[in-house]
Amino acid sequence: MNTAGAITAPAGSYTVTATLGACTSLASASAVVNAQPATPSIPTVGTITQPTCALAAGSLTLSGLPATGTWTLTRSGTSSNTTTGTGTTTSISGLAVGTYNYTVSNGTCISSVSANVVINAFVPITNTYTTSWDNGTPTGEQKIVFNGNYSSSGDVSGCSCQVKTGAAVVINSGHTLTITNEVTVLGGSLTFNDTASLVQTNNVTNSGNITYNRITNTKVSSTAYTYWSSPVTPQILYNLSPNTLSSMFYSFDGPSQNWKLESSAITMAVGVGYIVGGPKVATPVPLIQLLLMAFQIMA
C-alpha cells in the first residue's frame, strides 16, 4: 500500500482522510486546487507592410495578445527575437526579408503558433529613357535608367538612377533630380545646370562622376574676385576658372584673418572660403561677364 502519492482533482477545495480497516483518520488541512490558467489566444497577424524603396525592412501589427499583465512575444523563423509588453496589440518593425511566426506567453502558458508572416524583397520596376520613358512618367518607386540623351523639362524622381555609356543627361536650371538611393554613372554624363539640384534621401554610395554648373549672380571683370566655397569633394581650384591668372587664387586663413595666395592646383577644402579672379581677356578694357563654374563630383 502506498503511503504517499499524487492525487489528481479538478479545481476546488479538498480535505483528505485515510481509512485503515474500521478506523478513519481526522480530515487533513484544506487543500485548494486552482483553476488551470488560461492559455493565451494565438496572436492574430494584422496589416503587413512590405519593404519599399524608402523602407528597407518590413513591419506588421499583431492583435489578440493578453489583455492583462505583461506578456512575452517570441518570434521564430528567418530570425528570432523575444520582446515583452502590455496591451492587446503591438507593432513590429525592422523585419528583414524572410518568413516569421509568433507565440505569446502570459508567464505561465504559451499560445499556439501564429500564421506565417512573409516579408518580400522590394524589386523596383525599371523605367528606361531612350527617346521616351518606357514605363510612363518616373516615380519614386522606380529604378530610372538613362539609355539615351536627355534634357529635363521638369523635376524627375526615382528610387535609383543609372546613366548608361553614351548617354548625356542634363538636369536644366530650376529642376531637381530626387533619388532615394544610389546614383550610378556608367560612362555617360550627368550634368546639373545652374540652380538645378540633386537630392538623395538615403546615405548611400554613388559611383561615377557628375558635373554641377554654377553661374555667378553678378557680372565679373578680369580684375574682380568672386567668393567661393567647395560644394563638392574633390574639387580642384583651377577648374573653377581655367583662364584666371595663377596670381588670383586665394583662400581665407583663419588664424591670420587674411587672404592667402593659393596654388590653383590644390583641392578645395570643405568649409574654407576662396576668392578667384575673373578670367584674363585679350581686350584693352577688362571684360565684364557672368562666369560659368563647373564643379566635378567624383565617386
Side-chain angles (χ1 to χ4, degrees):
M1 164 177 151
N2 293 329
T3 58
I7 299 173
T8 301
S13 180
Y14 302 90
T15 58
V16 178
T17 59
T19 300
L20 180 60
C23 298
T24 299
S25 70
L26 296 174
S28 69
S30 180
V32 177
V33 177
N34 295 323
Q36 179 181 3
T39 299
S41 301
I42 299 172
T44 300
V45 177
T47 301
I48 300 173
T49 302
Q50 298 291 346
T52 65
C53 178
L55 298 173
S59 62
L60 77 149
T61 59
L62 291 175
S63 61
L65 305 177
T68 59
T70 299
W71 43 254
T72 300
L73 191 66
T74 300
R75 182 180 78 212
S76 302
T78 300
S79 65
S80 59
N81 188 44
T82 300
T83 57
T84 59
T86 59
T88 58
T89 62
T90 190
S91 297
I92 300 166
S93 60
L95 293 174
V97 173
T99 302
Y100 307 90
N101 54 52
Y102 292 85
T103 59
V104 65
S105 168
N106 57 12
T108 304
C109 298
I110 300 174
S111 73
S112 296
V113 177
S114 73
N116 282 342
V117 175
V118 178
I119 302 298
N120 300 312
F122 172 71
V123 180
I125 295 173
T126 299
N127 195 352
T128 301
Y129 183 91
T130 304
T131 57
S132 62
W133 294 106
D134 64 3
N135 262 312
T137 303
T139 72
E141 294 297 300
Q142 294 177 334
K143 173 183 178 180
I144 61 173
V145 177
F146 294 98
N147 198 30
N149 294 345
Y150 176 84
S151 179
S152 69
S153 58
D155 295 340
V156 183
S157 297
C159 177
S160 63
C161 173
Q162 184 181 94
V163 180
K164 291 201 167 184
T165 300
V169 178
V170 178
I171 307 301
N172 289 308
S173 296
H175 299 164
T176 299
L177 175 63
T178 302
I179 303 297
T180 302
N181 293 312
E182 74 281 356
V183 174
T184 305
V185 182
L186 296 175
S189 62
L190 177 56
T191 301
F192 294 83
N193 282 338
D194 187 49
T195 73
S197 297
L198 169 64
V199 175
Q200 286 183 271
T201 306
N202 291 334
N203 185 12
V204 295
T205 300
N206 298 321
S207 60
N209 301 336
I210 69 175
T211 300
Y212 261 84
N213 290 329
R214 291 296 180 258
I215 299 174
T216 57
N217 57 11
T218 58
K219 293 183 177 181
V220 178
S221 73
S222 60
T223 58
Y225 289 87
T226 301
Y227 290 82
W228 294 97
S229 181
S230 180
V232 298
T233 184
Q235 171 71 33
I236 304 302
L237 189 58
Y238 170 85
N239 292 339
L240 283 178
S241 184
N243 294 323
T244 293
L245 295 174
S246 61
S247 60
M248 298 182 72
F249 292 89
Y250 289 83
S251 68
F252 189 76
D253 181 64
S256 67
Q257 292 291 291
N258 206 347
W259 293 102
K260 178 181 70 173
L261 181 66
E262 286 286 5
S263 165
S264 62
I266 68 165
T267 298
M268 296 174 72
V270 175
V272 174
Y274 298 87
I275 54 173
V276 178
K280 179 183 178 182
V281 293
T283 56
V285 178
L287 181 64
I288 298 177
Q289 58 184 322
L290 296 176
L291 298 184
L292 171 65
M293 306 295 192
F295 293 87
Q296 295 288 329
I297 302 177
M298 293 175 282

